[in-house]
Amino acid sequence: MIRWRDPRVPPAVVAGFGAVGLAAALVGGASAAVAGAVAGVAAAAVAVVSLVMAVLRIADRREARAWRWLAGGAATWLAGAGVRPIADGTPFAVSFADLLVLAGTAMLAIGTGLCAVRPAYGRASLRDASDAYVSAASIFLVGWVALLGPAYHDSGGPGVFAVSLASPVLCLAFACAVGPAVLPARKSAGPVGLAALGLLAALTATETAGALTRMTGDDPSPLGLWLAPVAFLLFAAVPWCRRMAHAPGASGEEDDPDVDGGAGAGAQAASSLIAAVPLILVLVATVALVLRMLGGGVAGPLAVPALVAASVVAVLVVRLFVMLADAGRMRRLMDLGERQLHDLAESTGDVVLLCDHDGVVREIGEGVEVTYGYRPEDMVGGSIFDYIHPEDVPGIQMALRAMSLEDERAEGGGTCMIGCRVRAADGTWRPTESVATRHSRGEDLLLVTTRDVSGQEALRNQVAHLTFHDGVTGLPNRSYFEERTREVLARPGGHSVAVVFLDLDGFTAVNDSVGHASGDYLLGQAARRLRAAVRADDTLARWGGDEFAVLLEVAGDAQTAVDLAERLVRAVSAEPFRVADRDIAMTASVGVAFADEEVSSADLIRNADVAMARAKDIGGPRVEVFAAHMHADVVRRLELAADLQRALLEDQFAIEYQPMVDLATSRVTAVEALVRWWREGAFVPPERFLGPAEDTGLIVPLGEWILRRACREVAAWRASSWDIGLSLNLSARQIMAPRFVETVESALAESGLPPSALSLEVIEEMLVEDAEETLTRLSELRELGVRLAIDDFGTGYASLALLRQLPVDMIKIDPSFVSGLGADETLTLLTRTIVRLGHDLGLIVVAEGIERPEQLDLLREMGCTRGQGFLVARPMDARGIDDLMPAGLHSAV
């Protein structure tokens, strides 16, 4: 982009200079020759002034340099033309003025060459030089035939003729020398270069006319007189025309970056025409010579046109040999590149072949024998379709047909990606990937590179299998099952679908006892049994862990799905599993859910899972069919768990204490801490939230809060010299929680409660499940000095051996025994036996649930020393326990 420093000089100044010069020449009454000379000098002066002003306003250095040369050339030519009338009277054949004119023309040629956008280097410069010479020689031959040859006889001899022609010949040489570089230029300084090239052509014509005038003595022609002034005036206007084109708001070529791109085929045609100009000039010169020779011969010495013509032929021959050498070199490079490409493809295991658009093989690499087992010579001349899977042939034929009709300039460059199956010599079908492109030897040949992707295909299939199948059992996995369920429900009649969920009961104990590897082996055995139990069109999958899922795509009636669920239960529990040289008996809990028109696949699977969880909660090998209330129960449990967590943070829990009394004296000996929850002012029964707290693990922080709070309050009562103890219930999660023993020790230390004043109660089932770990933890608590009690004694499965292993201090008779005292002889006998057993073992016996006086009387008669229940005292808060404190202790406090 040109930037003008001062845009205020109007183009009219240039026209004014030209008008003044021409008027001065014409009105002065001088001869035509003098008028033409004066007009040329005036026009050149205007051009010099215009160019100098343009140089001062151009910011681009490269373009400014070209314009400086043009301005200097115009000024030098002006000086020569100005002194030529004076120098014409000198005795020298070539005057000083002629040298100035030639020097100015040379400087104009240099400036014109600098306007070229692309400088030529190497072979390109040699090509431009040959084109320049051929063009100049051809124009000279045409000029010789038309003008110079007839004027030779009137020139006064060969010397005068040669000297007279020196200036126009040199001007012609200058113009042709810069022509090949300037003509292709269409951007930046291109228009200026073309205008300067036109000026050189005009000066050449003017010098030729002047030379003919001097040689023949005839009057100068008007063309020779006025061509140079007009050319200088037009050239002087070029900077101002460019200034207007590049002014703000003007539309020009450089303002639109897409002008060149939009030329398209027209620009290519123009470039081709410019490249053909030298040959056109040679053709014109040849025709002119032939016509002149046929019309009576060439005037003047024949040696001159013959020598020039011979030089043109020699240059063209050399140019032809250079072109042939370049073509050979390019062919060798193409062959080398093709060989390298072929070798590279062969080294990577690809097969390279050449075929036509009909699929006939012309050439094929030796890699085909290594990859597919065919000899190359046996395949040449045959069709590639003989080796392609019949199902893939139509698609490949269509692709090849499209390539044959595709234009070379179309998007993609004539490249086609092909995937097909190829038959190997051993008869197997190999998946392949091929790339077909047009070959450089001709558009009728295709270069095809084929790669055997059997390994990649096998790997993809393996990855797909592993993605949707379980690695332990080989069954479809959860992702496959979910996707298959969605597909089956989406098709017509999908509402007759059922999903069965199965969970192996007690599988965690298998992993803990025999290890995870043996557990995986058991899962494999279970999968084989279940696969044998389901129907062929059912989908059996491993859902995860010890859970399996079955999709009954055509469930029929509900009884069909229930029958299948019961078969699965029997398949699991029919006989023990042989694992790690031992027999392991397993049972299963199964849930069944049926689809309807509104249920989604995710909801259907969830419903089966909920039903399975319900069966597991009930216990034993069992089949449960999903009902709507099951999901509601699950949601309520989840909401309750969230509320429990929030209640812990907001301190919504409280503790009530139920006194434990000496039945003989009615003295309060201990209190049992019971947690209470008021959710938004409403009382929540413990049986509603302790189960979810145990399931979610919130029982651990809740139990720790109860332990620390109760220890502080009981320690405060004991500080008043009241010998009272504390009893707390423990759950399995609490006992197995990390650092539980340390938590108990910390609570005792912080509160100051003696360990002997704390009794921790466990139920009998806890002593049976995970007996070894539970006994270890309880023994550690016993070592702290804490007392241990078995709650609800008589209802579980604890044996007398456990009572001997664990140093228990107390047993608490379950309320179900106490409730039948005096009404049920069996329960009365069992209660008496438990009391006697406790006495014999030296244990404290506590009766729970005393609600009637006759129960209290029988327990006293049996010798039971401790008791608690609504008849004795109801649960109460800490203030109520304060009221039970002996009177003397109250006054002490």
Side-chain angles (χ1 to χ4, degrees):
M1 178 69 69
I2 297 176
R3 297 178 177 85
W4 300 91
R5 295 190 181 93
D6 186 3
R8 293 174 296 177
V9 180
V13 174
V14 180
F17 277 118
V20 170
L22 290 176
L26 295 176
V27 177
S31 64
V34 174
V38 173
V41 170
V46 171
V48 171
V49 173
S50 175
L51 292 173
V52 170
M53 295 176 66
V55 169
L56 296 177
R57 290 166 174 79
I58 294 177
D60 185 271
R61 286 188 175 184
R62 182 175 177 276
E63 193 168 354
R65 184 177 60 177
W67 285 54
R68 281 194 293 270
W69 276 98
L70 292 174
T76 305
W77 191 93
L78 172 63
V83 300
R84 176 172 275 176
I86 303 174
D88 284 342
T90 60
F92 303 103
V94 178
S95 65
F96 177 72
D98 294 333
L99 295 178
L100 288 176
V101 168
L102 289 176
T105 305
M107 294 174 68
L108 287 172
I110 294 174
T112 304
L114 292 176
C115 291
V117 174
R118 55 164 189 85
Y121 299 100
R123 292 182 180 271
S125 62
L126 294 177
R127 182 189 64 241
D128 288 351
S130 64
D131 289 344
Y133 180 80
V134 170
S135 299
S138 299
I139 294 173
F140 178 82
L141 286 175
V142 174
W144 182 275
V145 171
L147 300 173
L148 301 180
Y152 177 76
H153 297 289
D154 300 331
S155 63
V160 176
F161 183 79
V163 172
S164 299
L165 287 182
S167 179
V169 168
L170 289 175
C171 290
L172 176 63
F174 294 150
C176 292
V178 298
V182 173
L183 285 177
R186 296 185 301 279
K187 289 184 178 180
S188 188
V192 178
L194 293 177
L197 183 62
L199 177 61
L200 288 175
L203 294 180
T204 301
T206 299
E207 289 298 313
T208 302
L212 290 174
T213 299
R214 287 193 294 272
M215 286 187 295
T216 61
D218 298 334
D219 293 334
S221 65
L223 179 66
L225 291 175
W226 300 105
L227 185 59
V230 171
F232 268 114
L233 286 177
L234 293 176
F235 186 66
V238 169
W240 309 104
C241 295
R242 287 176 54 80
R243 171 195 168 193
M244 295 176 62
H246 292 285
S251 60
E253 180 181 346
E254 294 189 17
D255 292 331
D256 185 1
D258 297 329
V259 169
D260 289 336
Q268 295 182 359
S271 299
S272 301
L273 181 61
I274 292 172
V277 166
L279 297 179
I280 294 174
L281 292 176
V282 170
L283 179 62
V284 171
T286 302
V287 172
L289 284 174
V290 172
L291 292 177
R292 174 62 66 182
M293 292 179 66
L294 293 176
V298 179
L302 187 62
V304 175
L307 181 61
V308 174
S311 65
V312 171
V313 171
V315 170
L316 291 177
V317 170
V318 172
R319 177 77 177 273
L320 178 62
F321 275 110
V322 172
M323 291 177 61
L324 292 176
D326 290 342
R329 183 171 61 87
M330 294 299 296
R331 172 59 62 183
R332 289 191 298 273
L333 290 176
M334 290 178 61
D335 292 341
L336 177 61
E338 184 178 341
R339 286 196 303 271
Q340 291 176 344
L341 176 62
H342 184 278
D343 294 340
L344 178 61
E346 294 287 348
S347 65
T348 58
D350 295 349
V351 176
V352 181
L353 60 94
L354 285 177
C355 68
D356 56 22
H357 288 87
D358 296 326
V360 178
V361 180
R362 302 293 182 85
E363 297 180 21
I364 192 167
E366 297 179 356
V368 68
E369 186 171 4
V370 177
T371 305
Y372 297 102
Y374 298 111
R375 293 189 300 175
E377 55 270 18
D378 295 339
M379 297 189 66
V380 174
S383 175
I384 60 174
F385 302 117
D386 296 337
Y387 305 93
I388 297 176
H389 197 282
E391 297 178 357
D392 301 333
V393 169
I396 297 177
Q397 289 177 334
M398 185 180 301
L400 296 182
R401 193 179 304 113
M403 289 188 66
S404 65
L405 299 176
E406 185 183 33
D407 188 84
E408 291 184 1
R409 291 169 296 179
E411 185 178 354
T415 300
C416 179
M417 301 289 295
I418 300 173
C420 64
R421 290 162 289 180
V422 175
R423 186 183 70 247
D426 57 4
T428 59
W429 292 101
R430 309 274 187 87
T432 63
E433 292 179 354
S434 304
V435 179
T437 58
R438 290 189 181 90
H439 194 255
S440 57
R441 297 182 186 177
E443 294 184 0
D444 59 332
L445 291 180
L446 299 175
L447 177 64
V448 182
T449 303
T450 301
R451 173 171 297 180
D452 183 1
V453 294
S454 300
Q456 295 91 317
E457 188 71 17
L459 181 59
R460 280 195 294 266
N461 293 336
Q462 183 180 3
V463 170
H465 180 83
L466 293 176
T467 302
F468 294 103
H469 286 77
D470 176 53
V472 175
T473 62
L475 296 176
N477 60 11
R478 175 175 179 171
S479 299
Y480 180 90
F481 188 85
E482 290 176 334
E483 182 64 28
R484 183 61 181 168
T485 304
R486 281 192 292 268
E487 293 176 357
V488 173
L489 287 179
R491 69 190 185 188
H495 58 274
S496 63
V497 175
V499 171
V500 177
F501 254 55
L502 179 144
D503 180 86
L504 298 178
D505 300 327
F507 181 75
T508 303
V510 176
N511 282 335
D512 295 341
S513 59
V514 297
H516 288 273
S518 298
D520 291 344
Y521 181 69
L522 187 148
L523 288 175
Q525 294 184 57
R528 287 190 290 273
R529 292 189 189 183
L530 297 177
R531 190 185 291 113
V534 300
R535 301 176 302 182
D537 55 351
D538 296 335
T539 301
L540 171 66
R542 184 188 177 196
W543 186 254
D546 58 351
E547 296 180 355
F548 296 85
V550 182
L551 174 65
L552 285 74
E553 299 185 12
V554 183
D557 56 3
Q559 191 59 42
T560 301
V562 175
D563 291 343
L564 174 62
E566 292 176 348
R567 286 202 306 272
L568 296 177
V569 172
R570 290 193 297 269
V572 172
S573 59
E575 57 180 309
F577 292 89
R578 188 68 178 173
V579 178
D581 296 330
R582 68 180 69 180
D583 291 333
I584 299 178
M586 299 294 295
T587 59
S589 299
V590 179
V592 182
F594 297 95
D596 55 40
E597 295 181 357
E598 298 180 355
V599 71
S600 65
S601 60
D603 291 341
L604 179 60
I605 294 172
R606 180 207 63 199
N607 293 344
D609 192 11
V610 169
M612 182 268 292
R614 172 79 172 180
K616 199 171 185 67
D617 289 341
I618 296 175
R622 187 179 181 88
V623 176
E624 281 287 326
V625 178
F626 175 78
H629 70 84
M630 294 182 180
H631 179 246
D633 291 342
V634 172
V635 172
R636 280 196 297 270
R637 289 174 69 90
L638 291 175
E639 293 175 350
L640 188 62
D643 290 344
L644 276 172
Q645 192 167 14
R646 185 166 56 254
L648 272 173
L649 298 175
E650 298 177 358
D651 198 19
Q652 297 179 6
F653 293 101
I655 298 178
E656 289 188 348
Y657 300 95
Q658 185 169 25
M660 187 184 307
V661 302
D662 187 329
L663 296 182
T665 63
S666 298
R667 183 177 61 87
V668 177
T669 60
V671 290
E672 181 179 357
L674 305 173
V675 66
R676 296 293 182 258
W677 181 21
W678 278 268
R679 180 172 57 176
E680 298 179 355
F683 176 73
V684 182
E687 59 270 16
R688 284 187 54 190
F689 68 84
L690 289 180
E694 179 77 12
D695 295 339
T696 59
L698 290 174
I699 194 66
V700 175
L702 178 59
E704 182 177 349
W705 178 84
I706 297 171
L707 172 66
R708 295 184 182 275
R709 179 75 172 270
C711 284
R712 286 198 302 269
E713 292 185 342
V714 174
W717 292 326
R718 292 181 62 87
S720 302
S721 302
W722 188 10
D723 186 13
I724 188 172
L726 172 64
S727 181
L728 287 174
N729 290 286
L730 296 182
S731 69
R733 274 187 179 266
Q734 286 179 277
I735 296 177
M736 302 307 297
R739 303 184 59 82
F740 175 69
V741 177
E742 290 82 353
T743 300
V744 174
E745 185 177 10
S746 173
L748 293 172
E750 290 177 1
S751 64
L753 184 69
S756 60
L758 176 62
S759 297
L760 299 178
E761 302 177 10
V762 295
I763 60 175
E764 291 183 76
E765 287 81 355
M766 293 169 53
L767 302 178
V768 178
E769 299 177 2
D770 298 328
E772 184 176 352
E773 183 67 21
T774 302
L775 292 176
T776 301
R777 290 292 182 93
L778 293 177
S779 298
E780 293 176 359
L781 290 171
R782 191 67 179 83
E783 292 175 359
L784 292 178
V786 174
R787 295 187 177 189
L788 301 178
I790 298 180
D791 196 14
D792 299 335
F793 187 80
T795 60
Y797 307 96
S799 64
L800 295 178
L802 285 176
L803 295 179
R804 187 183 62 183
Q805 295 177 15
L806 182 65
V808 177
D809 300 282
M810 180 189 306
I811 58 175
K812 303 183 73 173
I813 304 174
D814 188 74
S816 61
F817 292 95
V818 177
S819 63
L821 291 178
D824 189 316
E825 295 182 359
T826 302
L827 292 178
T828 303
L829 177 61
L830 289 175
T831 304
R832 190 181 300 276
T833 303
I834 295 174
V835 172
R836 186 180 300 115
L837 175 63
H839 289 168
D840 292 341
L841 294 176
L843 303 178
I844 299 174
V845 180
V846 180
E848 295 182 289
I850 304 174
E851 298 180 353
R852 301 192 307 273
E854 61 269 23
Q855 295 171 348
L856 179 59
D857 294 338
L858 283 173
L859 288 171
R860 286 173 175 172
E861 185 267 328
M862 292 177 186
C864 182
T865 58
R866 305 284 175 88
Q868 62 183 124
F870 287 173
L871 180 64
V872 176
R874 290 178 176 272
M876 61 190 72
D877 58 16
R879 288 193 297 254
I881 299 297
D882 288 338
D883 294 339
L884 297 178
M885 187 179 298
L889 299 182
H890 273 292
S891 61
V893 175

